Amino acid sequence: MEKIKHNYSTEEVSDANTKESEYLAVIAEFHRRVAAVTSHGSAKAVGKHRERGKLLARERIDLLVDPRTPFVELSSFAAYGQYGDAFPSAGIVTGIGMVHGRECMIVANDATVKGGTYIRETIKKHIRAQEIAMQNQLPCIYLVDSGGIFLPEQAQVFPDRFDFGRVFFNQARLSAEGIPQIAVVMGSCTAGGAYVPAICDETIIVRNQGTIFIGGPPLVKAATGEEVSAEDLGGGDVHTKISGVADHLADDDVHALRICRDLVSGLPRVKKREIDLEKVIEPSEPAEELYDFLSTDLKKPINVLAIATRLVDGDSFQEFKAEYGKTLLTGFARIKGIPVGILGNQSFLTAEAARKGAHFIQLCNQRQIPLLFLQNISGFIVGKKYEHEGIARDGAKLINAVANSSVPKITLVIGGSFGAGNYAMAGRAYDPDFLLMWPHSRIAVMGGEQASGVLQTIGGSGKDNSLIEQFDEESTAYYSSSRLWDDGIFDPVDTRDLLAFLFRVTLNQPIREARYGVFRM
């Protein structure tokens, strides 16, 4: 597509070029890090894996999903910067892909990463995938190749409510809701991990490769003195011919994935919610121009209207209350034909902006239009004048509207996400269907310099550079994604396609009526 020309002044062109150059460096670093976390385990571990005739986790997914269709991988940076980076992507690949034309949640253990064992982030990632599947009626396909819990971390992953056992609890609940659960056992399935295929509706196992047992041969020998091979204890022949734990026997990975695709083709389909779809029109401005409006310095304002117009169809954006509460942009638009309501921060939230946002959310709920939040927010406006005018009351209106909204909502952090503004703009605590980050974005209770200034005022000490450094480190997109405070970091130029795909996924949700609590007037 030919780049559209604009009548910029010399100063504006220079500033845009500088910002684009800075941001291209951010994008280059992002893609370098993506390559690192998606390259599986060590070369030695990958070599051993291949020697056994096994495909890598992402190769398995590529064969499972329909050709020339997207696979949206979630939380690629899970565990990034932790555990000495010994657990790339937390040793598990999760995401949504099309199988026989149907969106499915795919969870694939990566046995090249510590034998596919589970640390805290692995479990959070697995459970998050199941939450998305439950919300959006997605069949779950588990490509199992796991040694269960990573024993040195057992105290962090075993006993609590949302620890390892929650995976099996969720499987049982998903199945009870009529959401299909299919396991493909392509390697080890040990200890608690044995329950993944055992609780699934249907299970495929690869001959002379997949194994399922509560206790492996070493544990059996230690406990009973019995010596038995892994295959004789819980291999494919055992579980398809003797125990009945598995239902289909495959010759190899490729055969197993072919069987899985056949099973999905026979599943009953969920009828998508009907919406007023229109013909897709490409944005009037090219996506690559998004880089022109982004900066590594979050103190600089972001033109959220310019961002929005590069995400939506053609000239479809219709602004709502354009002259009121101007620190919050609101409006209706379409993304690849899908109607959406957009709320985007121009700055901090004022009382007028909060009331405007609450009004707009109510309209979208009444019209059953999903919501897209574009977060670049420093928080609510502060000061004596605004407290006296009741900013907390008006902020509560917006929070009430967001918390009780019943339509699908996707949150995209395009800059900073600070303080109570994070909550009001559908942060993680407000259960957006998906929460996405751009590489330069940040999330924290406040900026590092602000935090240092607050503590300096309270305690009377000087500027705390260590606190500033701590906040700077802990607010990065990579820090957030490592701990699964979001569903992944993505390149801005890929965002339009990503949003369209995810909004289509949410069409599997039934229509729900919005009910609001007390609005303090």
Side-chain angles (χ1 to χ4, degrees):
M1 180 184 294
E2 185 180 349
K3 199 172 183 70
I4 296 175
K5 295 179 175 62
H6 299 275
N7 294 319
Y8 292 130
S9 69
T10 304
E11 292 79 7
E12 287 174 322
V13 169
S14 175
D15 183 55
N17 289 340
T18 301
K19 283 169 51 174
E20 183 177 21
S21 176
E22 286 179 356
Y23 207 77
L24 288 176
V26 169
I27 292 301
E29 177 63 14
F30 163 69
H31 286 293
R32 185 194 69 78
R33 296 187 187 196
V34 168
V37 298
T38 58
S39 60
H40 302 280
S42 67
K44 182 179 178 181
V46 170
K48 285 185 176 180
H49 192 82
R50 293 201 183 281
E51 285 172 8
R52 296 173 179 139
K54 298 163 73 174
L55 298 172
L56 298 174
R58 290 178 178 85
E59 292 173 341
R60 290 166 171 170
I61 293 171
D62 286 345
L63 284 177
L64 177 62
V65 300
D66 296 343
R68 296 177 296 280
T69 63
F71 171 68
V72 175
E73 183 170 337
L74 303 170
S75 304
S76 300
F77 285 96
Y80 180 75
Q82 302 186 71
Y83 311 97
D85 279 323
F87 289 86
S89 291
I92 195 169
V93 184
T94 64
I96 304 170
M98 306 295 292
V99 181
H100 272 290
R102 178 164 182 179
E103 297 130 346
C104 294
M105 176 59 71
I106 301 170
V107 178
N109 298 115
D110 186 350
T112 69
V113 178
K114 303 292 185 181
T117 52
Y118 281 66
I119 54 173
R120 178 178 59 249
E121 287 73 20
T122 320
I123 292 169
K124 286 186 73 173
K125 188 169 174 178
H126 195 142
I127 290 174
R128 175 61 183 150
Q130 291 176 316
E131 289 173 350
I132 293 170
M134 177 72 82
Q135 196 166 24
N136 295 287
Q137 306 285 298
L138 303 179
C140 293
I141 300 172
Y142 305 97
L143 307 183
V144 190
D145 198 345
S146 168
I149 286 173
F150 182 62
L151 293 179
E153 291 286 312
Q154 68 87 25
Q156 307 300 321
V157 298
F158 175 70
D160 209 352
R161 183 183 179 196
F162 290 101
D163 283 348
F164 200 37
R166 194 73 179 192
V167 168
F168 320 128
F169 173 87
N170 285 343
Q171 280 184 253
R173 294 293 297 272
L174 284 156
S175 183
E177 291 291 327
I179 300 172
Q181 306 288 291
I182 298 173
V184 187
V185 180
M186 313 178 90
S188 177
C189 219
T190 307
Y195 291 109
V196 172
I199 298 176
C200 277
D201 303 341
E202 289 190 72
T203 293
I204 304 155
I205 189 168
V206 178
R207 178 187 279 116
N208 297 321
Q209 180 175 301
T211 56
I212 305 170
F213 30 62
I214 301 300
L219 182 59
V220 170
K221 183 175 170 71
T224 68
E226 180 184 9
E227 293 193 14
V228 60
S229 70
E231 191 65 26
D232 288 340
L233 182 62
D237 284 333
V238 168
H239 287 309
T240 55
K241 298 175 182 179
I242 300 173
S243 73
V245 170
D247 310 298
H248 309 276
L249 185 61
D251 297 327
D252 53 28
D253 281 5
V254 175
H255 185 209
L257 294 168
R258 192 182 310 130
I259 294 171
C260 183
R261 285 182 53 82
D262 289 343
L263 295 182
V264 173
S265 71
L267 296 176
R269 291 186 175 269
V270 173
K271 185 177 181 182
K272 283 187 175 286
R273 182 160 48 89
E274 293 184 4
I275 59 169
D276 175 27
L277 276 174
E278 287 190 359
K279 181 182 177 181
V280 176
I281 302 173
E282 289 302 308
S284 54
E285 311 284 353
E288 289 75 14
E289 286 192 356
L290 285 167
Y291 297 155
D292 299 345
F293 298 93
L294 300 174
S295 172
T296 54
D297 183 0
L298 295 185
K299 292 177 183 176
K300 295 181 179 179
I302 292 177
N303 184 338
V304 72
L305 179 58
I307 299 294
T309 55
R310 284 158 179 79
L311 297 176
V312 305
D313 290 6
D315 297 318
S316 66
F317 188 80
Q318 299 173 358
E319 191 166 356
F320 173 76
K321 279 187 182 292
E323 300 303 318
Y324 182 79
K326 290 187 176 183
T327 64
L328 181 68
L329 176 80
T330 55
F332 300 99
R334 291 182 181 270
I335 297 179
K336 292 205 168 183
I338 302 169
V340 296
I342 297 175
L343 298 93
N345 303 118
Q346 304 272 39
S347 180
F348 47 72
L349 285 166
T350 62
E352 293 83 4
R355 292 194 293 265
K356 169 180 169 178
H359 182 180
F360 183 70
I361 290 169
Q362 286 184 310
L363 283 179
C364 288
N365 275 269
Q366 187 178 72
R367 299 173 188 178
Q368 287 295 309
I369 295 174
L371 293 164
L372 172 62
F373 292 84
L374 302 178
Q375 279 200 13
N376 180 38
I377 177 69
S378 57
F380 285 89
I381 195 168
V382 296
K384 178 180 175 181
K385 174 179 182 293
Y386 306 107
E387 297 294 353
H388 286 194
E389 290 175 353
I391 181 64
R393 177 190 60 229
D394 290 309
K397 289 186 179 72
L398 179 55
I399 287 174
N400 196 323
V402 173
N404 289 294
S405 177
S406 63
V407 296
K409 51 186 184 284
I410 295 177
T411 300
L412 172 63
V413 184
I414 64 172
S417 176
F418 296 108
N422 168 275
Y423 306 150
M425 291 293 292
R428 190 63 138 182
Y430 286 73
D431 285 341
D433 294 71
F434 298 95
L435 194 155
L436 317 172
M437 304 277 279
W438 281 350
H440 71 292
S441 55
R442 289 180 174 270
I443 180 169
V445 68
M446 62 180 68
E449 290 186 7
Q450 274 184 298
S452 177
V454 169
L455 291 179
Q456 184 179 346
T457 301
I458 295 172
S461 58
K463 188 176 182 180
D464 189 344
N465 289 322
S466 65
L467 184 66
I468 294 173
E469 291 173 2
Q470 177 189 337
F471 268 62
D472 284 348
E473 168 62 23
E474 293 178 355
S475 65
T476 67
Y478 298 104
Y479 193 95
S480 167
S481 223
S482 174
R483 289 150 183 81
L484 285 98
W485 299 344
D486 56 67
D487 294 312
I489 307 171
F490 299 90
D491 190 326
V493 299
D494 297 328
T495 302
R496 172 175 157 83
D497 290 339
L498 175 64
L499 290 172
F501 182 89
L502 295 179
F503 274 123
R504 285 185 181 276
V505 167
T506 67
L507 294 178
N508 296 316
Q509 298 178 18
I511 293 175
R512 295 174 291 129
E513 181 184 357
R515 297 182 62 187
Y516 296 99
V518 173
F519 279 81
R520 189 180 288 273
M521 305 307 286

